[in-house]
Amino acid sequence: MKTYQMLVDGAWVAAESGKTFAVMNPATGEVMARVPEAAAADVDKAARAARRAFDEGWRDVTAQERGRILFRLAEQVRKDAKALAELETLNSGKPLMESEYDINDVATCFEYYGGLATKLHGEVLNVPDNALSLALREPLGVAGQIIPWNYPLLMAAWKIAPALCAGCTVVIKPAEQTPLTLLELARSFETCGVPKGVVNVITGFGEAAGAPLVAHPAVDKIAFTGSVEVGKRIMRSAADTLKKVSLELGGKSPNIFFADADFESAVDGALFGVFVNQGEVCSAGSRVLIQRPIYRKMLDAMVEKAKRIKLGSGMDPATKMGPLVSKEHMERVMRYQEIGRKEAKVASGGGRPREAELQKGYFVEPTIFYDVDNSATIAREEIFGPVMSVIPFDDEKDALRIANDTPFGLAAAVWSRDIFKCFRMVKRLQAGIVWVNHMQPTYVEAPWGGYKMSGIGRELGPWGAEEYLQVKQVHINLNEAPIGWY
Ligand code: NDP
């Protein structure tokens, strides 16, 4: 079993305390590695290293060179894609095909921001004076980044790539459950030309390692993806040092099916929307709204297909759904299944699978609850597992009322052949991402982030880089005479 070290100031180090913790394979419940358990002292070293790296060199590295480093990282990811995808599956549980898809997206993300580095520029402003007025874009400085376990390396790429593109340095903390792929990739940082201290990776728990990163005075910005509760805590703590904060906090996204939608696509789209990645997806379409004329028919068709979803180790090519990430999370999802059984009717699943070979892993059945009232707990709270709440609706107005009646606003999808109806819905849905006749496709070129309690700021595309930049106004007086005021 491998014991990892973490990357601080270009060196591979243990935690100062010498403590480590176990990283599990969720399909078997076995320990697969140990990693350092960082605490405030380790975070302090990493934050100071990132500060030094920013002040003493990285801020002067040209955009072209930063771009080249990002391209090299992309190339490295493509070279190591097979090993990274396998490790991602072993550590997170997701089917290998999904990990392969994610790792390809990781490389694409580094490529995109490699290209964008030389396209970030300022503006010349038309001020009413004999002057040159400029708005320059400059890097914020040191970025602290805290990421979750559902797309481990992809979430790291979504944060590291725009930060380097913008010229920031980084201290990143992966989730305690899934630190391995980032640690593996970090072994290539030096050969890809990332100077020491520019990206530091610390492993540890949220309270002990994440919280000191948020509070650290050398850190200028925090980028976080995870739960609303922790997001709020981060915002409160960041207020003390007035850090910029960007938050991506998940949701309870409506996936809306009108009676005139293509039926087969609708059934597939509803299942994919919430069962992909075991439902551990911030944009999961966990509220499936179906118009009454097709309600029963679509429910039956979804149940029929859901029952055939093959659970198993992500390494088995036949597997369509892996285990949940941890025992703790499995128990959390099972508590929601229990609540759901009291609040609504069970159409499919509702517990743990019975097969003997699945007992050691953290598997739960793909579950469909129906006749769910939108006020039910299973329609309001983010479950982050393979649990679908099916809700009937009458017409467009009713669908909108239900869809927007949630504290969240990350994503929504609408399915219909009527383009006018689709556009009316698009305009009224309160969500940062709206899909029409699809759910979940995500591209590095397009903005990602939430309305309402789903977060603050946007990732990906040029918006992602903006989160790591600040604007400096420069006024260059072209009059050679004195102001002449006094
Ligand atoms: P958390 O929000 O607790 O964890 C996300 C990240 O934040 C992890 O790296 C975690 O570290 C870190 N963290 C935890 N507490 C603090 C803190 N006080 N200060 C700084 N960082 C901290 O999510 P969970 O893993 O506990 O999952 C719980 C629920 O959150 C899920 O069921 C789901 O509903 C939601 N979630 C949403 C995600 C999204 O994509 N929007 C992703 C993951 C979860 P550590 O791993 O050590 O706890």
Side-chain angles (χ1 to χ4, degrees):
M1 192 190 44
K2 195 164 171 176
T3 299
Y4 283 81
Q5 292 181 309
M6 38 185 199
L7 185 63
V8 177
D9 206 10
W12 288 98
V13 297
E16 259 196 14
S17 65
K19 283 191 194 166
T20 61
F21 64 94
V23 177
M24 314 296 284
N25 174 339
T28 61
E30 285 160 10
V31 177
M32 59 184 291
R34 296 195 71 84
V35 298
E37 187 180 326
D42 306 289
V43 173
D44 181 53
K45 275 192 197 156
R48 284 169 190 270
R51 182 84 255 160
R52 237 181 355 259
F54 180 76
D55 291 339
E56 294 173 11
W58 184 244
R59 65 182 309 150
D60 300 321
V61 171
T62 64
Q64 277 194 358
E65 182 52 22
R66 294 201 307 275
R68 279 185 211 112
I69 290 169
L70 286 161
F71 284 130
R72 276 183 229 123
L73 285 168
E75 222 175 291
Q76 189 69 41
V77 170
R78 294 208 186 280
K79 216 155 68 192
D80 297 341
K82 187 170 181 293
L84 286 171
E86 286 175 7
L87 186 61
E88 198 77 304
T89 282
L90 289 170
N91 190 190
S92 71
K94 67 176 75 192
L96 186 58
M97 206 178 95
E98 293 185 29
S99 289
E100 287 166 354
Y101 205 89
D102 291 356
I103 300 300
N104 181 57
D105 272 1
V106 169
T108 307
C109 183
F110 282 124
E111 282 157 3
Y112 177 88
Y113 283 106
L116 189 68
T118 50
K119 281 106 198 149
L120 299 172
H121 48 71
E123 281 147 86
V124 181
L125 311 168
N126 249 329
V127 294
D129 209 341
N130 185 22
L132 199 54
S133 178
L134 308 175
L136 305 184
R137 283 199 170 74
E138 298 190 333
L140 270 172
V142 178
Q145 306 182 325
I146 298 172
I147 57 171
W149 39 258
N150 53 342
Y151 289 91
L153 195 58
L154 188 57
M155 289 300 105
W158 279 25
K159 293 200 168 27
I160 294 172
L164 298 188
C165 165
C168 289
T169 58
V170 167
V171 179
I172 183 165
K173 189 195 92 60
E176 69 194 54
Q177 297 87 349
T178 55
L180 301 185
T181 42
L182 178 56
L183 288 172
E184 285 295 338
L185 178 64
R187 283 146 55 100
S188 307
F189 284 173
E190 198 180 339
T191 52
C192 289
V194 181
K196 77 176 184 141
V198 167
V199 182
N200 304 272
V201 182
I202 50 163
T203 51
F205 298 109
E207 280 296 335
L213 181 59
V214 177
H216 203 288
V219 175
D220 301 294
K221 184 229 155 64
I222 292 291
F224 169 78
T225 299
S227 62
V228 173
E229 270 329 295
V230 175
K232 285 186 194 168
R233 229 176 294 159
I234 283 178
M235 235 178 134
R236 271 185 222 115
S237 161
D240 288 337
T241 41
L242 270 182
K243 287 183 177 61
K244 310 281 181 295
V245 174
S246 53
L247 306 171
E248 203 270 79
L249 306 177
K252 195 75 199 175
S253 300
N255 200 0
I256 306 162
F257 296 89
F258 284 96
D260 61 359
D262 178 84
F263 189 76
E264 292 305 319
S265 308
V267 172
D268 255 15
L271 296 172
F272 184 77
V274 65
F275 293 149
V276 66
N277 207 53
Q278 302 82 236
E280 295 169 328
V281 181
C282 49
S283 56
S286 49
R287 286 187 299 147
V288 170
L289 277 54
I290 306 177
Q291 200 168 17
R292 289 194 192 276
I294 58 163
Y295 183 73
R296 192 70 233 186
K297 185 177 166 205
M298 185 164 161
L299 181 64
D300 291 344
M302 288 194 301
V303 169
E304 153 74 18
K305 279 198 167 180
K307 288 199 164 136
R308 284 190 270 129
I309 293 175
K310 168 108 175 58
L311 294 182
S313 155
M315 298 303 285
D316 178 347
T319 293
K320 285 283 185 225
M321 189 184 287
L324 298 183
V325 75
S326 66
K327 183 164 182 288
E328 190 191 13
H329 188 53
M330 175 186 75
E331 286 166 356
R332 189 170 181 273
V333 172
M334 285 169 66
R335 282 198 294 279
Y336 278 110
Q337 287 177 322
E338 208 177 302
I339 293 170
R341 280 196 296 273
K342 291 181 196 133
E343 288 182 329
K345 297 173 188 152
V346 184
S348 179
R352 297 204 63 198
R354 289 191 195 87
E355 290 90 333
E357 73 272 17
L358 300 180
Q359 295 313 307
K360 282 196 189 144
Y362 311 133
F363 294 92
V364 298
E365 292 174 315
T367 298
I368 302 178
F369 290 113
Y370 70 108
D371 286 359
V372 179
D373 191 278
N374 198 48
S375 63
T377 305
I378 57 165
R380 299 208 79 74
E381 296 185 11
E382 184 174 46
I383 300 176
F384 224 66
V387 180
M388 179 196 287
S389 296
V390 183
I391 305 171
F393 71 88
D394 296 319
D395 54 17
E396 231 174 290
K397 200 169 153 223
D398 199 28
L400 270 172
R401 177 187 61 78
I402 299 169
N404 288 337
D405 177 15
T406 168
F408 294 107
L410 183 60
V414 53
W415 301 68
S416 162
R417 285 205 189 87
D418 178 346
I419 191 80
F420 297 98
K421 185 159 56 188
C422 287
F423 275 128
R424 283 195 298 271
M425 294 292 289
V426 165
K427 279 190 78 171
R428 301 287 300 278
L429 283 164
Q430 295 162 0
I433 303 137
V434 180
W435 289 288
V436 175
N437 293 325
H438 210 325
M439 191 171 213
Q440 300 309 354
T442 304
Y443 304 98
V444 68
E445 294 82 359
W448 186 268
Y451 282 20
K452 302 200 279 187
M453 285 186 78
S454 288
I456 295 175
R458 290 293 177 275
E459 298 196 276
L460 303 182
W463 303 270
E466 290 291 341
E467 299 285 345
Y468 294 92
L469 292 166
Q470 55 193 342
V471 177
K472 177 182 278 174
Q473 189 223 118
V474 180
H475 177 92
I476 304 167
N477 177 22
L478 301 178
N479 293 313
E480 291 195 43
I483 301 170
W485 193 268
Y486 301 107

